[in-house]
C-alpha cells in the first residue's frame, strides 16, 4: 500500500490550533521520504519506521535499522519498550517548559512478536503464576512491561503538572495472538480474525475534571473515531469528509446513539493462506456478517444474543442475511475487495 498524499492526518489538524505534535514509537505507514512522519504532520518523531522488529534489543527488521530521530538514523541501546517510555517521558518534560499545547502519539511495538520481555519481568510473573505455561508467562510479562512504561508516562505528566489538563486515551489495534500466549477472554478468534476476538479491544480514557472517574460504557466505536474525538477536545473543526465520529460525549458520560451506524472491516493479505484476497466483516447494531477468510462461507451472528459468535445464523435468518449481505456488497464497492 501507499499512504495517499491527499490524506489529512490528525497531527495536521491539531497544528491548526497551535499544537506541537510528536510521534514516539511505531510508524508503519510507509518508508518513502514523502511519507515520513515529519512530512505528514508531526513536528517530532523518535521511533522506528518499519512494521515490526525482529528483536527488541537490536531493533532491526530483515537486517535493516529503521530507528530514527526525526529523519536521522539512530542506533539506541536497550529494550524497545524502555526506549519508547524514556523518550516519551523526556518529551513530556521538555514540553512542560513551553506554553504551547502538545499532542503525542505513543505507539509501542509490544506485545507484538517476538515475545521478548526483559528477564526480570519473566521472573516476576513466574513467581506470581507458577502454574502458567511458559508462553503465557512471557506474554504477560511483555504486556506488564508496557503497562509499567505507561505508568511512568502518566507519572511524568503528573510530576510536570500537566496531567490534569491532558486527555489520555489508551487502546490497541487488534486482539491478542493466542498462539504466543495471549487470551481474548470469552470472545471467539484472535489477531488476524474477523471474529470479535480479533477486532474487539477495550479502550481507556482519562481527563481530570472532564471524564467522570470509574465509569464504564459499552459504546461500540472504531479507532478512526479518535480523529474527530481529539479534534473536538482541542476545539478544531473537521471541515472535510471523514468516516469517524467523535466519541467525546461518551467519554463525558453522555449517551450517544450509534444504532444506525454501519461498521466495516477489511484486511488484505498476500500470504499463501489468503493469496492477496480479502477478509471482511460488517456490523449494524447487533447484527454482524463476516468472511473470516476468502475461502470460508459468510457467517451471520447476533452479538446481543450470541456475543461469543457460536451460532451461525446465515442459513436460518434469511431476511437478516439478505439485509446484511447488501450492506456488505455496498461497502466492498466503496472500499474495494
Amino acid at each position: 500500500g501507499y499512504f495517499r498524499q491527499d490524506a489529512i492526518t490528525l497531527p495536521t489538524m491539531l497544528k491548526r490550533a497551535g499544537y506541537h505534535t510528536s510521534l514516539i514509537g511505531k510508524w508503519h505507514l510507509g518508508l518513502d521520504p514523502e511519507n515520513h512522519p515529519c512530512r505528514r504532520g508531526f513536528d517530532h518523531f523518535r521511533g522506528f519506521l518499519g512494521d515490526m522488529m525482529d528483536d527488541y534489543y537490536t531493533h532491526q527488521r530483515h537486517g535493516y535499522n529503521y530507528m530514527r530521530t526525526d529523519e536521522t538514523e539512530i542506533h539506541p541501546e536497550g529494550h524497545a519498550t524502555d526506549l519508547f517510555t524514556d523518550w516519551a517521558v523526556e518529551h513530556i518534560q521538555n514540553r512542560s517548559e513551553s506554553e504551547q499545547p502538545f499532542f503525542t502519539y505513543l505507539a509501542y511495538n509490544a506485545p507484538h512478536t517476538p515475545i521478548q520481555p526483559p528477564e526480570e519481568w519473566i521472573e516476576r510473573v513466574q513467581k506470581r503464576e507458577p502454574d502458567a505455561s511458559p508462553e503465557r508467562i512471557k506474554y504477560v510479562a511483555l504486556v506488564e512491561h508496557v503497562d509499567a512504561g505507561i505508568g511512568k508516562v502518566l507519572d511524568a505528566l503528573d510530576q510536570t503538572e500537566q496531567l490534569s489538563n491532558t486527555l489520555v486515551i489508551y487502546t490497541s489495534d487488534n486482539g491478542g495472538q493466542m498462539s504466543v500466549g495471549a487470551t481474548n477472554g470469552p470472545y471467539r478468534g484472535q489477531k488476524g480474525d474477523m471474529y470479535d476476538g480479533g477486532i474487539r479491544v477495550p479502550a481507556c480514557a482519562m481527563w481530570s475534571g472532564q471524564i467522570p472517574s470509574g465509569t464504564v460504557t459499552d459504546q461500540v466505536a472504531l479507532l478512526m473515531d479518535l480523529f474527530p474525538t481529539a479534534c473536538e477536545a482541542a476545539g478544531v473543526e473537521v471541515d472535510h469528509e471523514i468516516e469517524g465520529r467523535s466519541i467525546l460525549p461518551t467519554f463525558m458520560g453522555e449517551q450517544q446513539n450509534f444504532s444506525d451506524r454501519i461498521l466495516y472491516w477489511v484486511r488484505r493479505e498476500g500470504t499463501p493462506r489468503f493469496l492477496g484476497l480479502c477478509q471482511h466483516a460488517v456490523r449494524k447494531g447487533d447484527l454482524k456478517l463476516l468472511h473470516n477468510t476468502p475461502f470460508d462461507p459468510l457467517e451471520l451472528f447476533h452479538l446481543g444474543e450470541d456475543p461469543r459468535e457460536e451460532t451461525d445464523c446465515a442459513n436460518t435468518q434469511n431476511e437478516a442475511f439478505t439485509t446484511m449481505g447488501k450492506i456488505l456488497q455496498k461497502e466492498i464497492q466503496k472500499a474495494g475487495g
Side-chain angles (χ1 to χ4, degrees):
Y2 181 77
F3 194 3
R4 286 173 45 168
Q5 291 298 294
D6 60 352
I8 302 173
T9 65
L10 175 57
T12 297
M13 294 293 292
L14 296 179
K15 286 165 76 72
R16 297 181 184 179
Y19 276 72
H20 181 277
T21 59
S22 64
L23 163 61
I24 295 171
K26 179 177 179 176
W27 175 236
H28 197 192
L29 281 171
L31 302 174
D32 299 288
E34 66 270 25
N35 280 326
H36 186 280
C38 292
R39 304 190 191 187
R40 299 309 302 263
F42 288 103
D43 295 311
H44 172 65
F45 169 60
R46 203 171 182 184
F48 73 108
L49 297 171
D51 59 334
M52 58 176 282
M53 297 176 182
D54 294 327
D55 187 287
Y56 275 83
Y57 290 96
T58 67
H59 321 129
Q60 292 190 352
R61 175 65 165 158
H62 297 148
Y64 292 98
N65 174 35
Y66 293 119
M67 281 285 203
R68 303 288 188 272
T69 293
D70 297 329
E71 298 190 39
T72 302
E73 183 175 337
I74 59 174
H75 298 270
E77 295 183 359
H79 194 282
T81 296
D82 292 326
L83 291 173
F84 298 158
T85 296
D86 292 344
W87 293 345
V89 168
E90 180 183 343
H91 185 68
I92 288 168
Q93 292 170 340
N94 291 338
R95 297 316 304 171
S96 69
E97 300 171 2
S98 171
E99 293 295 323
Q100 182 184 17
F102 72 94
F103 164 73
T104 296
Y105 171 40
L106 172 57
Y108 285 102
N109 189 58
H112 200 291
T113 53
I115 308 304
Q116 192 180 13
E119 189 62 35
E120 63 268 24
W121 285 89
I122 296 176
E123 295 172 358
R124 187 175 306 188
V125 177
Q126 281 178 327
K127 290 180 180 178
R128 190 182 71 237
E129 301 182 33
D131 296 329
S133 68
E135 292 79 14
R136 180 64 181 165
I137 288 172
K138 289 180 65 177
Y139 190 87
V140 170
L142 192 63
V143 171
E144 292 189 354
H145 185 214
V146 174
D147 288 345
I150 294 168
K152 292 179 180 179
V153 171
L154 296 177
D155 287 344
L157 286 168
D158 189 28
Q159 292 161 5
T160 56
E161 300 182 347
Q162 299 178 101
L163 183 59
S164 63
N165 194 35
T166 301
L167 168 60
V168 179
I169 302 172
Y170 167 61
T171 188
S172 183
D173 56 351
N174 51 248
Q177 183 176 338
M178 297 170 66
S179 61
V180 293
T183 176
N184 296 305
Y187 301 110
R188 179 178 179 179
Q190 60 176 321
K191 174 182 178 178
D193 286 336
M194 288 296 168
Y195 301 112
D196 267 17
I199 60 177
R200 178 172 178 157
V201 296
C204 304
M206 60 183 293
W207 189 2
S208 179
Q210 302 291 330
I211 298 177
S213 62
T215 55
V216 179
T217 177
D218 60 1
Q219 180 64 270
V220 177
L222 296 172
L223 283 175
M224 67 173 67
D225 296 332
L226 299 184
F227 184 114
T229 300
C231 287
E232 183 178 356
V236 178
E237 180 183 357
V238 180
D239 53 6
H240 64 285
E241 183 179 353
I242 62 171
E243 294 185 338
R245 299 187 186 182
S246 173
I247 54 172
L248 190 63
T250 294
F251 287 167
M252 302 297 196
E254 301 175 22
Q255 292 291 323
Q256 290 184 272
N257 184 3
F258 287 170
S259 60
D260 64 339
R261 188 180 189 192
I262 296 170
L263 308 179
Y264 177 60
W265 294 262
V266 59
R267 175 174 179 251
R268 186 190 301 273
E269 280 290 340
T271 64
R273 180 185 172 193
F274 298 99
L275 301 176
L277 302 175
C278 289
Q279 301 164 270
H280 298 277
V282 64
R283 174 174 175 172
K284 184 176 182 181
D286 284 335
L287 285 176
K288 178 182 172 187
L289 183 70
L290 65 87
H291 204 200
N292 198 49
T293 80
F295 313 105
D296 288 341
L298 288 166
E299 298 176 89
L300 177 70
F301 299 99
H302 192 292
L303 298 179
E305 301 171 357
D306 180 25
R308 296 174 182 243
E309 298 172 290
E310 294 175 324
T311 304
D312 177 13
C313 303
N315 296 317
T316 59
Q317 297 188 17
N318 294 334
E319 184 177 348
F321 182 83
T322 299
T323 298
M324 295 301 293
K326 290 180 179 178
I327 292 174
L328 177 60
Q329 288 180 52
K330 187 174 181 179
E331 293 298 328
I332 289 175
Q333 288 169 351
K334 286 166 54 180

